[in-house]
Amino acid sequence: MQKAGLDLERIVFIGRTFEEYRTMFSLSVDELKGKKVLDCPAGACSFTAVGREKGLDVTACDIAYYHPGEALAEKGKKDLEHAMVSVEKAKAQYVFEYFHDVADLARHRTRALTNCAKDMKKNPDRYVPVTLPKLPFEDGQFDVILSAHFLFTYGGRLDKQFHLDTIKELLRAAKEEIRIFPLVDLSGNRYEHLDEIIENLKEQGHQVEEIRVPYEFQRNANTMMKILK
């Protein structure tokens, strides 16, 4: 299986907490109860782990999951150390409101990694290896699909067609809606092809909203896209 994924050294295994997801996607636990939810790509996020503890039906998928959970957990610890040094050096690119300081950020990221690693070991079937833009799921298998810090974020590395293909596949696997956060690239600029993609989606009959959310860490990363089928 591992041949289908990236080499472990090329993977950055860092994730966000359940609380961050609720804020960046403007979600409540109650509105997700009784629904099947997919986190794609999930990385080391704890949304699946903590969500399931709260009685939610959540599945995670990521190219990283072609690798063993233990190896990913160790890689994540190294990635966290490196990331915190980078953030410290580039503080001006970040807004320290949700997090008090770099140490507080590190605590959140460590908690996300720890919860994710534990749940991967306990419920491995909930962590599905995938290679986007293809997903191994049935049409409409999930009511809601969340996608954080991937699409638009890496607009300089992933071309417009990849974005279109991935969103099309997410919509295929979704029954009700998908939400994508943020809408800016790594430089904090609005993704250059975003308006074209929105028009494309509207032409296909989808309802698209850009919604400001009460979460901003990367400067200007404070809006999400909600696409209704």
Side-chain angles (χ1 to χ4, degrees):
M1 284 184 79
Q2 198 166 307
K3 288 187 290 186
L6 287 172
D7 178 80
L8 183 58
E9 288 307 308
R10 293 179 60 196
I11 290 170
V12 178
F13 200 63
I14 291 177
R16 279 81 187 171
T17 63
F18 179 85
E19 292 80 8
E20 284 179 81
Y21 260 51
R22 283 206 311 110
T23 308
M24 68 176 67
F25 286 115
S26 292
L27 289 167
S28 70
V29 172
D30 285 343
E31 69 183 293
L32 291 179
K33 283 184 176 177
K35 297 187 176 183
K36 289 184 177 295
V37 185
L38 177 68
D39 182 5
C40 175
C45 295
S46 63
F47 182 75
T48 298
V50 177
R52 286 173 54 72
E53 288 178 357
K54 295 179 180 293
L56 301 181
D57 185 352
V58 189
T59 298
C61 68
D62 197 288
I63 196 170
Y65 303 154
Y66 285 103
H67 297 276
E70 294 82 0
L72 287 172
E74 287 305 310
K75 180 65 166 58
K77 292 176 184 177
K78 296 176 183 176
D79 290 340
L80 274 173
E81 291 179 11
H82 178 73
M84 294 309 105
V85 171
S86 297
V87 170
E88 186 69 52
K89 290 179 179 178
K91 277 186 176 180
Q93 297 177 24
Y94 302 96
V95 178
F96 281 92
E97 291 181 0
Y98 188 93
F99 306 107
H100 304 305
D101 49 31
V102 177
D104 188 38
L105 170 67
R107 284 191 289 271
H108 278 75
R109 294 288 176 268
T110 299
R111 180 155 51 91
L113 175 64
T114 301
N115 287 337
C116 176
K118 285 182 179 178
D119 198 52
M120 286 182 74
K121 191 172 183 179
K122 185 178 178 182
N123 300 294
D125 59 309
R126 287 287 172 159
Y127 295 83
V128 182
V130 301
T131 305
L132 291 169
K134 294 297 183 183
L135 292 173
F137 305 119
E138 297 176 5
D139 293 358
Q141 184 170 336
F142 300 94
D143 296 294
V144 179
I145 298 180
L146 308 176
S147 185
H149 298 95
F150 179 64
L151 292 172
F152 312 142
T153 298
Y154 297 100
R157 305 177 198 173
L158 306 170
D159 63 20
K160 184 176 74 172
Q161 193 57 51
F162 178 88
H163 281 74
L164 288 169
D165 291 344
T166 299
I167 292 173
K168 180 181 179 181
E169 183 72 346
L170 292 174
L171 283 166
R172 180 193 64 76
K175 184 184 296 183
E176 298 176 5
E177 66 176 83
I178 66 173
R179 299 188 186 193
I180 303 171
F181 176 90
L183 307 185
V184 298
D185 60 22
L186 288 171
S187 298
N189 299 315
R190 181 182 173 85
Y191 173 57
E192 61 176 331
H193 300 299
L194 189 61
D195 292 329
E196 296 173 60
I197 288 175
I198 290 173
E199 282 307 308
N200 180 280
L201 289 166
K202 287 181 176 179
E203 287 172 4
Q204 294 173 38
H206 301 296
Q207 182 181 329
V208 185
E209 296 179 70
E210 290 184 61
I211 301 171
R212 191 177 181 93
V213 297
Y215 178 94
E216 182 179 9
F217 177 51
Q218 177 193 3
R219 199 166 293 281
N220 299 324
N222 53 18
T223 54
M224 70 148 175
M225 179 185 290
K226 182 178 179 180
I227 308 170
L228 297 175
K229 292 194 72 174

